[in-house]
Every structure is written in C-alpha cells, then in structure tokens.
Amino acid sequence: MGVFIPCLQNILGIIYYIRFSWIVGMAGIGESLVLVAFCGLCTFLTSISLSAIATNGAMKGGGPYYLIGRALGPEVGVSIGLCFFLGNAVAGALYVLGAVETFLNAVPAAGIFRETVTKVNGTTVEPIQSPSSHDLQVYGIIVTILLCFIVFGGVKMINRVAPAFLIPVLFSVLCIFLGIFLARKNDPAEGITGLSLESFKENWSSDYQMTNSAGIPDPFGKVYWNFNALVGLFFPAVTGIMAGSNRSASLKDTQRSIPIGTLAATLTTTALYLVSVLLFGALATRDKLLTDRLLTATVAWPFPAIIYVGIILSTLGAALQSLTGAPRLLAAIANDDILPILNYFKVADGSEPYFATLFTAFLCIGCVIIGNLDLITPTVTMFFLLCYAGVNLSCFLLDLLDAPSWRPRWRFHHWSLSLLGASLCVVIMFLISWSFTIVSLALASLIYYYVCLRGKAGDWGDGFKSAYFQLALRSLRSLGASQVHPKNWYPIPLIFCRPWGKLPENVPCHPKLADFANCMKKKGRGMSIFVSILDGDYHERVEDAKAACKQLATYIDYKRCEGVAEIVVAPTMSEGFRGIVQTMGLGNLKPNIVVMRYPEIWRRENLIEIPATFVGIINDCIDANKAVVIVKGLDEWPNEFQRQYGTIDLYWIVRDGGLMLLLSQLLLTKESFESCKIQVFCIAEEDSDAEGLKADVKKFLYDLRMQAEVIVITIKSWDTQVEGTQQDESMEAFTAAQGRIASYLSEMKTTAESRGTTLMADGKPVSVNEQQVEKFLNTTLKLNSTILRYSRMAAVVLVSLPPPPVNHPAYFYMEYLDLLVENVPRLLIVRGYRRDVVTLFT
C-alpha cells in the first residue's frame, strides 16, 4: 500500500478527468486503444526494470536518480536526475493549472477575464465556456504560493493529508461509471446517447482536425492534432510509477513493496483506461466528446459536483507530491557532492530541503505563467521519458553484464525487455516532437558534459566500470600471447621512478619523467606503468607500500598521464627490478620499454654501488627482451609548454628494430618538438661507400613514411676528427677516464694478489683485456666527439646503447657511458629489442 496508493494517486489524475474523453473523440476508439496500450506497455516495461534494480540491494534517497546513478555512473545519473527534477517541477505546474481550470469551469463567475465564442466544424453554436489563459495564470500563481506554504510546513503534514486525497478520486471514478451506465439519450445532457452501439461504430475511427489553443474544434485554429501529438498529451496520464521508489526510505520492505505496488498500480490504471475508452466511445456523439471538456462531470451520478471536488483534490494532492518530491530529489543530488554548484541545496539527514523547495517553487510559478496546459504537457513528457529510458538502460546494462553482484530478488526480468522499454521511450519521444526531443537530449548532454568537466569523480561501482572490465578481459584474450605485428605495436613504457638520487618525501617521482612518458605516446594513446621499489621486508613495509602507491597514483593523475602506479617491496633494488621485469603485465599488455634516468650523480656523490645495479638492470632488460631508454639531462627535459627548436639527431649505429626512428617520430607529434627536424647519422667504412649508403638510407626512410636528413660520416673522417680535437673537452674526459680505469684495475690486481684469487669485481670473477678496454674508450671518444661536433645545438640526441661487455667490471662500463654522454646536455640512450616496431608495408 505504501507504493500502490502514491503511484495510483500520481497516475490517475487530471488528464483522465478533463482530457481523456476529448482524446477518444479526436483519435477514435481504435486509435485510443492503441494509444493506451502503447503508453501502458512503455510504463509496464519500465516498472519491470525498476523492480529488478530496486530489489538488487538497499536504496537510499533520490529514487530513480539513485538507481540510475549507481547503474550508469554519476555523470549519467546527475544529468538524468536533474532532468527528472525539472520534470517533477513542471508537473507541479501542470497539476496546479488542472485544478485551477476545473475550478473556473465549475464556478464561471470567478473568472476575471472573458472568453470569446467558438465555432465547431464551421457552424456557429452557442458560446462554449472556456477559462481564460489570464485567469489560469492569476489563480495558478496564488495556488502555487499557498501550496508552497504547506510544503514548508513539513513532509509529515503532507503525508497525513495525502491519503485523504485518494478517497474523493476513487469515489469520483465510481460516480463516473455509475453515470455512464445510467445515462440515456440526451440525458443528462444533449449529445449523450447512453451506451450505444451506433455511437461506438461512429466513434471507432479518428477525426483529427484543427482546434484553438484550448482544444475546442475550430477550422481557423492554429493547432492541428494527430496521433503523435496525442501521445504527448496523454503520456502524463501514465506517469507516476516512480512515486513508490521516491519513498523508499519510508517503506518497511523495499524489495517486496516496490515491485508489487508499482506493477499493480500500472496494470490497474492501464486496465481502467482501456475500459474507459470503450465506455466513452459508446456514450456520446463525437461533437459532445470534443466540446465538453468536463464530460466526466456531466455524466457523473448522483453528484456531478463531486467530480469537480475530486479533480481539484486529486490534482492539488499530486501537486503537493511534486513540490515535495522534486526538492528532495535535488537535495539527494546535492548531497552526493558531485556538482559543487549544487552545494546550496545540501541538507543534513532528517532535515527539510528549504532552499531546494524555494527553487522548485520559482520554477513551478514560471511554468504556471505560461498558462497553457497543452504546451506544458510535452515538456513534462520528455523529462519523464528520459528518466524511464535511463531506468531501462540501467537494467539492460546490468542484466547483459550479469556481474556476480547482480542478484535481484525480482526474477521476472530480461535484458531484451529492458532494451525494448528503452527503445519505446526513445520512439515515443520522437513521435511526440522531434524538436522537444533534441532540446531535452541536448540539455541532458550539456549537464553530462558539465559534470564531466566540473564534477568530482565518484566510484559507485556502476555498470560501465563492469562493462570496461569485461571488455578489457575479452580484448586481452583476443590479443593472445603471440608476437604483436609492427603495425599494431604500441609503446608500453615501464617508468622507473626513483632509481638514483633522492627526491623530497612528498614527490614520488621525478617531475619530468611523466613529461617524457607522454612524449612516447601518439595523441596520448597508450599506457605507462610507473614503478617504484621500496627496500626492506614486505611484511614490515606493506602499509608504506600502500601509501606510496596511492601517492604515486595521485601524482600520475596530476600530471595528466595515462598510466598506473605499482610499488614493489624487495630486499634490494636489483632483486625488485628482476621480479618486475619478469612478471609485470598480462599477455601482450606487458611493458616493452624500460625508461629510467641516467645516474649522473654516481661519481659526484661517490655512490660505488650504482654501477653494479645499473649494469644488472640493463642485462636483465636484455635477457627479458625489453627495450631500454635512458634519459640523460632529465632536469632540462621540456614540458608541453616549452617549445624546442633545432634538430633531433639520431646516431644510428646498430640495428634496433626501428625503435630509435619511431621514438623520433613520436617526439615530433608533441607541441614542444613539432618545430624540430630529424637528422640521421650513419657510418661508412670508405668515402666511396658514402653516397650509396646515403641513398639506401633515404630510400629506407621514404618507405617508412619518415622525413629526415641523412648525414654519412666515414671512419677516415672519424680518425681525422679525433686527431684534431686533442685539446677539447672530449679528450680531457678521455684522459680522466683512462686514469680512473687504470687506478681501479690496479686496486683489483692488488686485492687479488693479497687474497691469492683471480680478479674479482661486483662479487664475481672478471677477465680484463686492457687492449679491449682501450678500444672501447677510443670508440666512445670518437662518438662523443662526433656528437659534440654535429649536435651541440640539437634539441635532443638519440644514440644506441652499447650492451655491457661480458666479464667486464660494471665500473668500466659506467666509465664508457660517462665518456659517451660527456658535455651532451640532453641525450636519449636507446637499445631496441629483437622485434621490429616499424614496417615498410601498408
């Protein structure tokens, strides 16, 4: 009863009393039956969807907004919820105007303004009493203000009075049916035929025609009626099925009351409408049906006046429900703290939403000033249909996904019924008025966009998140574990956040690493994995890891980088990274590039443990077939607002699957590097080979759809270049590196002799070929001198990362790299892997 009575009171209202017989006269009995069945099917399917969602857990305040928001997400919930709020506020004006029109028809002397004579089918008849639109406006504003005072008195007062409004309604319906069965020809008024088969036959077909703004037939009228327009006029007569769910907080057993009460009210009123179509169609002539706006009062027995009382009380009761429910809906949206602009309407639990009620009253008065009932009803219809479509789509999505948490107690539901219900809602919207539909959808879309732009994120476990999860699982399975084709290759960088040096405690990652990660994506597509390693025991540092992960995730969102945060606890950095590089990712969504900062501080701060860790990480990447990108000069890496000029230079020494070329192209897609040009440097053994090599590389780059200038350097020019740079900074660095390596080697030999063992470095035996060490140093010197000669003013330089020599101390390898990067301000050291990431073919 707590659901059935409010739903019945909201459904059975003004349209039935003062428009239904007119609709039968205009559409005929046949199309009226189709109209009632069509609209009734829409609300019936919506009731089934509502029953399923409402019985899938406890409900809070907000009614359909709460259900839709928790199923489709806060953005959709707020946009449809605000439209539903507007629909309820406008519906309040509809009920007020209905009550005022009934009162003015019952007491014509109360009218302040006069109405003119109306013609029917081109023939002049006696004047037909029709309330003036100015009377509707004046009395409507007065009644709305009085109702607002009652609403401010509190919901308890309204709940005590509301059941009393239903008794006159039911009694008036009984009087109407008694009058229909007792009516005779021209009794109680002219045009009444009693229940007549002839009238039934004559009224079976439709008779659409022009009317004036009050609905009176007039060949010179400005309003033409058809089936679509009647759908818009009649549909508010079947709305009100959400009245029970709006009171969910007051129900003893929500999961039992809402399905039974809502469906019972829907079926009862639909059956009443279907029977009434047959009875009204057989009761009177078409002229009587079209001209007597209060035919229900004309035929009611024994007290025609009870119809006026019943209409006024039912409409005022429904208006009170609208003016009570709409503010609570707005307050529920505000309390969810999604839109900051609605903070004025927040209320504490158990408090009255006074500000929301005042705002609703202003909206209601604005609609009353319009004064035309037939202009307001399509607006109400659109907002209610939008809400019903949201409920059906919510049930459709939840039913289709069938997540483990989807266990409604109401068993009679299926996703196809919900989809049909949603489709009917959309069809009815366009049948009524495509212009009103576009406006209502545009309004909902604007609210949705505003919520996405200004709203606060909220995770309500909505169906879209479940859909994304299932889609991700299905996509992951479809990707398989086989090698990705070069055309479908995306960089998935593993960002090593804090490998070297110290950052402030509140900075979980170097600020420029996120900027660099964004440079590795084309138009932001792709995912980055930000990883940090905490030293220690997992059981002791598990809470530290959780806090660090949350802090890192917040930082990633702040930098607007698409990625996820992962924290690993391990005894040492080497062990932690080795675990990460083996297990991170799923299937083909494993990280394929390891990105880290070059350890420039290791010699400056005498961090002797860094070389072994650094070389170990590179060797782990090579063993795991991961590409490596090491950033030198990270502090100077530009952000998205710092435009760079010059060139992007590639020192393409070894085959890397095209990764270095691809990285240079990805850099060009960013605003900070879009003004740069690419230069590719190649090495030829002889001068005679230079032109041929340059032509081959140009052809290769052309086939790859890459624009770059090719510069060929011969080995002969290398030697000349080094001889001519004996006094430059490269030579100074070379001499210093030679001295440090000799000193380190001498210490190793001394230690080995004292212990009587072979040479040891980093806890393992090594073999050192001094000639090979000298060769490595000379090659690195040549490359560094070439970079300083040709690329000193480059925006960024990319150079291939040489693999660590086998059985060489890690200290030596760090000396080679230090010499390579010496005096180069911004450098990317890149090592590809055994897969092509670019292709020549379409």
Side-chain angles (χ1 to χ4, degrees):
M1 287 296 110
V3 175
F4 179 75
I5 290 177
C7 286
L8 191 64
Q9 185 176 3
N10 277 266
I11 295 173
L12 188 61
I14 184 66
I15 301 295
Y16 179 74
Y17 288 105
I18 66 175
R19 291 291 185 270
F20 197 67
S21 59
W22 182 89
I23 290 173
V24 175
M26 186 68 72
I29 296 173
E31 291 192 19
S32 295
L33 290 173
V34 174
L35 174 66
V36 173
F38 188 56
C39 296
L41 179 63
C42 177
T43 54
F44 176 73
L45 294 176
T46 304
S47 299
I48 291 177
S49 299
L50 174 68
S51 301
I53 303 176
T55 57
N56 191 50
M59 282 181 60
K60 294 182 180 179
Y65 155 72
Y66 181 84
L67 300 178
I68 296 172
R70 269 59 183 178
L72 299 182
E75 296 86 359
V76 178
V78 171
S79 58
I80 294 181
L82 286 177
C83 288
F84 190 58
F85 158 76
L86 290 175
N88 275 280
V90 174
L94 169 69
Y95 298 134
V96 168
L97 287 174
V100 172
E101 183 176 345
T102 305
F103 170 73
L104 291 175
N105 275 306
V107 189
I112 304 173
F113 303 92
R114 298 292 180 183
E115 190 66 42
T116 58
V117 176
T118 307
K119 293 181 180 179
V120 180
N121 293 332
T123 304
T124 304
V125 297
E126 70 274 5
I128 299 170
Q129 296 294 333
S130 180
S132 168
S133 60
H134 300 298
D135 287 335
L136 293 177
Q137 293 169 348
V138 173
Y139 283 101
I141 293 173
I142 294 172
V143 171
T144 304
I145 294 173
L146 291 176
L147 290 177
C148 288
F149 280 115
I150 298 175
V151 172
F152 272 108
V155 70
K156 290 183 179 180
M157 179 188 301
I158 298 170
N159 287 337
R160 289 171 185 167
V161 176
F165 286 109
L166 188 59
I167 296 174
V169 174
L170 297 177
F171 184 67
S172 62
V173 172
L174 178 62
C175 291
I176 292 171
F177 277 89
L178 286 175
I180 290 174
F181 286 108
L182 295 175
R184 296 293 180 263
K185 188 173 180 64
N186 294 327
D187 181 25
E190 183 145 0
I192 302 294
T193 62
L195 294 177
S196 167
L197 185 60
E198 290 183 7
S199 298
F200 187 89
K201 291 178 180 178
E202 289 177 1
N203 293 329
W204 177 261
S205 60
S206 62
D207 184 19
Y208 297 116
Q209 53 189 291
M210 305 294 292
T211 69
N212 63 11
S213 59
I216 305 301
D218 183 356
F220 302 104
K222 297 181 180 180
V223 182
Y224 179 75
W225 293 92
N226 53 26
F227 183 82
N228 297 354
L230 290 182
V231 171
L233 179 62
F234 173 72
F235 195 83
V238 296
T239 60
I241 59 174
M242 299 296 177
S245 63
N246 287 339
R247 304 180 179 204
S248 56
S250 304
L251 298 175
K252 186 179 295 184
D253 188 355
T254 305
Q255 300 189 15
R256 179 180 179 275
S257 300
I258 289 181
I260 297 175
T262 305
L263 286 169
T266 303
L267 294 174
T268 300
T269 51
T270 303
L272 173 64
Y273 291 147
L274 290 173
V275 172
S276 298
V277 168
L278 300 175
L279 295 179
F280 283 136
L283 177 65
T285 64
R286 191 180 299 272
D287 288 346
K288 185 65 175 175
L289 292 173
L290 291 174
T291 55
D292 192 347
R293 302 295 294 272
L294 274 169
L295 182 65
T296 52
T298 303
V299 302
W301 184 90
F303 310 112
I306 191 66
I307 299 300
Y308 293 99
V309 177
I311 294 174
I312 293 172
L313 289 179
S314 66
T315 50
L316 290 181
L320 275 176
Q321 296 296 340
S322 296
L323 290 175
T324 305
R328 278 153 183 77
L329 176 60
L330 184 61
I333 299 173
N335 285 340
D336 277 334
D337 204 21
I338 300 297
L339 279 181
I341 197 173
L342 298 180
N343 287 343
Y344 298 105
F345 304 116
K346 282 185 177 180
V347 292
D349 291 339
S351 301
E352 291 291 327
Y354 293 115
F355 285 108
T357 302
L358 196 60
F359 181 67
T360 306
F362 278 117
L363 286 179
C364 189
I365 290 174
C367 293
V368 166
I369 291 174
I370 296 175
N372 193 328
L373 193 66
D374 297 331
L375 289 178
I376 291 179
T377 47
T379 310
V380 177
T381 304
M382 290 302 167
F383 289 137
F384 277 90
L385 279 168
L386 198 60
C387 177
Y388 296 166
V391 172
N392 281 305
L393 285 176
S394 301
C395 187
F396 164 72
L397 183 64
L398 295 174
D399 233 339
L400 194 65
L401 296 174
D402 200 18
S405 61
W406 176 243
R407 301 185 305 276
R409 295 182 184 274
W410 181 258
R411 300 293 182 183
F412 306 102
H413 62 91
H414 192 265
W415 63 265
S416 59
L417 295 178
S418 300
L419 182 60
L420 177 61
S423 302
L424 278 178
C425 291
V426 176
V427 168
I428 291 174
M429 290 175 74
F430 279 99
L431 279 179
I432 295 169
S433 170
W434 66 267
S435 56
F436 272 104
T437 302
I438 297 299
V439 169
S440 59
L441 291 176
L443 177 62
S445 301
L446 285 174
I447 298 174
Y448 177 88
Y449 179 74
Y450 181 77
V451 174
C452 293
L453 196 65
R454 299 291 184 183
K456 299 178 181 178
D459 188 2
W460 294 344
D462 54 86
F464 281 129
K465 296 292 177 63
S466 179
Y468 296 153
F469 182 77
Q470 292 198 23
L471 182 62
L473 291 180
R474 187 169 298 178
S475 302
L476 188 61
R477 288 196 300 268
S478 65
L479 282 175
S482 58
Q483 182 171 326
V484 178
H485 193 277
K487 289 192 294 184
N488 299 325
W489 188 88
Y490 284 85
I492 306 178
L494 179 72
I495 313 295
F496 213 6
C497 291
R498 301 176 64 139
W500 332 112
K502 294 183 179 181
L503 294 171
E505 289 300 323
N506 60 342
V507 181
C509 178
H510 193 290
K512 294 301 180 71
L513 271 176
D515 294 328
F516 179 73
N518 283 328
C519 288
M520 299 181 69
K521 301 173 187 175
K522 186 176 181 180
K523 297 180 180 178
R525 300 190 190 103
M527 180 181 70
S528 302
I529 303 175
F530 289 78
V531 174
S532 188
I533 298 174
L534 298 183
D535 295 335
D537 181 72
Y538 176 72
H539 296 288
E540 295 177 358
R541 303 207 62 182
V542 61
E543 295 301 325
D544 295 339
K546 291 178 182 178
C549 187
K550 185 176 180 180
Q551 186 184 35
L552 183 56
T554 303
Y555 171 80
I556 295 171
D557 291 339
Y558 167 73
K559 295 293 288 186
R560 292 185 296 177
C561 182
E562 288 188 4
V564 295
E566 295 289 346
I567 301 295
V568 175
V569 180
T572 64
M573 183 182 294
S574 298
E575 291 184 26
F577 182 82
R578 192 165 292 126
I580 290 170
V581 81
Q582 292 181 78
T583 60
M584 188 68 70
L586 294 170
N588 267 323
L589 284 183
K590 291 182 177 179
N592 45 31
I593 302 177
V594 175
V595 178
M596 57 183 169
R597 182 186 187 185
Y598 184 77
E600 302 171 54
I601 64 170
W602 76 278
R603 182 182 293 111
R604 184 172 67 247
E605 299 188 12
N606 196 27
L607 301 175
I608 57 174
E609 74 279 0
I610 283 184
T613 304
F614 182 73
V615 173
I617 288 175
I618 294 176
N619 283 325
D620 289 340
C621 292
I622 295 173
D623 293 339
N625 196 25
K626 306 289 185 187
V628 182
V629 176
I630 302 170
V631 188
K632 193 261 183 180
L634 186 63
D635 295 336
E636 289 79 32
W637 190 264
N639 59 33
E640 56 184 326
F641 306 109
Q642 295 173 320
R643 185 172 291 273
Q644 302 297 301
Y645 299 94
T647 59
I648 300 175
D649 292 351
L650 280 64
Y651 287 84
W652 193 19
I653 308 301
V654 297
R655 174 178 173 81
D656 65 347
L659 178 61
M660 192 184 298
L661 280 170
L662 186 62
L663 283 179
S664 65
Q665 293 295 319
L666 291 175
L667 287 176
L668 285 182
T669 63
K670 302 301 172 184
E671 290 186 12
S672 50
F673 288 99
E674 65 182 2
S675 301
C676 299
K677 295 182 180 180
I678 297 177
Q679 293 185 146
V680 176
F681 291 84
C682 304
I683 298 178
E685 293 186 6
E686 301 291 340
D687 291 340
S688 58
D689 300 335
E691 290 303 319
L693 178 61
K694 185 173 183 178
D696 290 343
V697 174
K698 278 190 172 182
K699 176 65 167 56
F700 179 65
L701 293 175
Y702 176 80
D703 291 339
L704 288 175
R705 292 88 63 202
M706 296 180 179
Q707 291 185 349
E709 182 183 353
V710 179
I711 300 174
V712 179
I713 302 172
T714 61
I715 294 180
K716 188 176 183 181
S717 67
W718 260 31
D719 296 334
T720 304
Q721 173 186 319
V722 173
E723 290 173 3
T725 55
Q726 296 294 326
Q727 303 300 324
D728 68 3
E729 57 265 60
S730 295
M731 200 63 203
E732 293 177 9
F734 174 79
T735 305
Q738 275 184 322
R740 288 190 296 269
I741 287 177
S743 176
Y744 187 84
L745 182 60
S746 175
E747 290 181 11
M748 287 172 55
K749 290 179 178 179
T750 303
T751 304
E753 290 174 0
S754 63
R755 295 179 178 177
T757 60
T758 59
L759 292 178
M760 300 286 291
D762 310 319
K764 56 185 179 181
V766 295
S767 60
V768 178
N769 185 329
E770 295 188 30
Q771 291 182 346
Q772 192 176 22
V773 171
E774 192 70 19
K775 181 180 178 182
F776 283 144
L777 283 173
N778 279 306
T779 303
T780 307
L781 170 64
K782 292 177 182 179
L783 182 55
N784 179 259
S785 300
T786 303
I787 293 173
L788 292 179
R789 179 181 178 184
Y790 291 101
S791 306
R792 188 182 290 271
M793 301 304 293
V796 61
V797 176
L798 283 75
V799 64
S800 296
L801 173 69
V806 181
N807 295 328
H808 269 226
Y811 182 90
F812 289 8
Y813 185 71
M814 288 301 300
E815 287 290 352
Y816 305 154
L817 289 185
D818 273 359
L819 180 57
L820 174 64
V821 304
E822 185 71 26
N823 296 314
V824 183
R826 194 181 295 153
L827 184 74
L828 299 183
I829 312 174
V830 181
R831 178 167 183 82
Y833 58 131
R834 296 182 294 273
R835 289 182 183 177
D836 288 333
V837 298
V838 293
T839 178
L840 303 176
F841 305 103
T842 183

